[in-house]
Amino acid sequence: QVQVAESGGGSVQAGGSLRLSCVASGYTFAIYCMGWFRQAPGKEREQVAHIYTVEGTTYYVDSVKGRFTISHDSANNTMTLQMTSLKPEDTAMYYCAAEHAPDSCSHAVFEYKYWGQGTQVTVSS
């Protein structure tokens, strides 16, 4: 059974940095796509970034470009999200998601089969 587990998160002041990590385990078929989503109270869940592990290609939502960096360690199937210059609007529950996706990664929530429990990120002004 595939399990996805996040770590990191916490509370910081605006302009600060945080690092999120995610490990996928228990899979038989390779995981090729891993992504971070976030959901603020009263808002829909949105994809923040994803990485297609086959090629290392990445995607970022416009609001985090230049501030967040996604990376993947294939040896341990660990994904990280380095977040810098954090803003109050980055406050949300952050979720790690994974999918086999042999061809490409998707932005859509429903395309991801495996999800972590979420970790809270709070940025104060």
Side-chain angles (χ1 to χ4, degrees), residues 29-101:
F29 299 101
I31 297 290
Y32 293 120
C33 189
M34 298 185 75
W36 289 99
F37 289 76
R38 67 185 179 187
Q39 188 167 19
K43 295 188 176 181
E44 292 187 355
R45 191 171 295 189
E46 67 168 349
Q47 186 174 73
V48 175
H50 74 230
I51 185 164
Y52 182 50
T53 64
V54 176
E55 300 173 344
T57 51
T58 59
Y59 160 84
Y60 299 93
V61 69
D62 285 346
S63 59
V64 307
K65 284 181 180 178
R67 301 188 297 120
F68 291 11
T69 303
I70 191 170
S71 60
H72 179 258
D73 176 356
S74 59
N76 300 307
N77 208 27
T78 299
M79 176 181 64
T80 61
L81 185 70
Q82 181 67 46
M83 305 184 293
T84 63
S85 301
L86 283 161
K87 303 176 181 180
E89 50 264 43
D90 294 317
T91 295
M93 185 70 77
Y94 283 69
Y95 298 90
C96 174
E99 181 51 67
H100 299 295

